[in-house]
Amino acid sequence: MAQWTSAVGVAQLARQLNAQQPRPAGPGTRKPPAYRALADGIRLLVLEGRVPVAARLPAERELAVALAVSRTTVAAAYEALRAEGFLESRRGAGSWTAVPAGNPLPARGLEPLPPESLGSVIDLGCAALPAPEPWLTRAVQGALEELPPYAHTHGDYPAGLPALREMLADRYTARGIPTMPEQIMVTTGAMGAIDAICHLFAGRGERIAVESPSYANILQLMREAGARLVPVAMAEGLSGWDLPRWRQVMRDAAPRLAYVVADFHNPTGALADEEQRRGLVDAARSAGTVLVVDETMSELSLDLDEGVGMPRPVCAFDPAGSTVLTVGSASKAFWAGMRIGWVRASPDVIRSLVAARAYADLGTPVLEQLAVTWLMSTGGWEQAVGIRRTQARENRDALVAAVRRELPDWEFDVPRGGLTLWVRTGGLSGSRLAEMGERVGVRVPSGPRFGVDGAFEGYVRLPFTVSGPVADEAAVRLAAAARLVESGASSGSETPRTFVA
């Protein structure tokens, strides 16, 4: 049985290789052989995630014709990649990309920064902001006033409080997607929602297509559930999804689930347009794939004052909720400590999720549900989210200016919303930067945490969580970490631990 889960077309690979700009050679440096340059080009595409791990490469003869080189050159490049662990082959099955065993993907130790370290370490690992007061306090006070009637019940509401389900349904209806309360299940955060969906739809060994890069904690959740992840590379910059690649993966890999972030993607900040949303829903429906859409960033548009409109939600193209399962949360738009999430789907899917929940957590805490209900019913939600947008916009602008000043070789596109900046680190190892950052007092998650099997080594994710002098100091410390990496400083024996949210 072949070990690849997707395939890279010869024209696509040739186009990506031809677009690469070779590094200028230093004085006295000889130009590498053609096979070496080709092997390095493919290896870079894998490490940056533009060619997924476990993707079948074109046959040697096909690639040689597309690149106008000899077949011997391609054969030698493939052999070099095999020797380095970036390619595996089997007679009759072809060759597919891999990552060497010496480049493991960090998967454990995702704990938050200890409170006692907050004074000495700048934490750029957690994409979360402080609560937008006074609205948290007001919401809790309002919830306490509504609590007494519920205190006389058993307190278990597997589908969520009826009042909150109705409120969430009304909000979707107001956005142009008619929704009944029976189409909503309240969960313990978005992670709880996606965990429930994975257990219902994707048993151990099932394929789940994911964006490449994607949200680190969800990738780890799916790995631990035993899923086989099929990465699908994002389009360049902030342009969203690469629909031809998605159609190919849907057709060839037939994933049971696909997980995407359409609105201000974590980590890249990309915003999918309506044509992409419609096309992905059509592709999923044709393939029989359940499309899980993470909307946790959807309300964090930071440039609304500049006339940036939001596309319709992905579920607008599947209002019945049979193909598209929408996941929302209060954690990003309001506060990470408010662990309230929800799923919008067809009533029969919701019934199945609720039934399966009896063997998991039974339900979501009542007080927090009442607090979110209070916020959404009083207008407090909109005012709190407005505070959050202002905070995130100011933080984004300060961080962008500081990184451009201190690290001019680092490359990124400034997103119009969300909470994260996806940064190419000028050829430096993101994993080494994370490790050296620990030494100089700044925590940053490395790119491979957001890829499958070690991709994106040349990236880090920077969240919009600091501003003013702290943003300036964070960039100074990142620049110090970069100098340590460039100097080849010893990494020591400890594995860096970075929380990713």
Side-chain angles (χ1 to χ4, degrees), residues 291-363:
L291 187 60
V292 182
V293 179
D294 185 334
E295 280 194 339
T296 52
M297 296 282 190
S298 64
E299 297 193 64
L300 293 177
S301 176
L302 306 184
D303 295 325
L304 282 176
D305 294 340
E306 298 176 17
V308 176
M310 288 293 292
R312 283 182 291 171
V314 178
C315 59
F317 305 101
D318 180 50
S322 56
T323 296
V324 176
L325 277 58
T326 304
V327 173
S329 171
S331 296
K332 298 299 185 185
F334 184 75
W335 184 47
M338 187 70 75
R339 305 304 303 163
I340 298 295
W342 54 86
V343 181
R344 181 199 181 276
S346 64
D348 60 320
V349 169
I350 293 299
R351 285 193 294 269
S352 297
L353 287 169
V354 171
R357 191 175 194 180
Y359 306 100
D361 63 357
L362 293 178

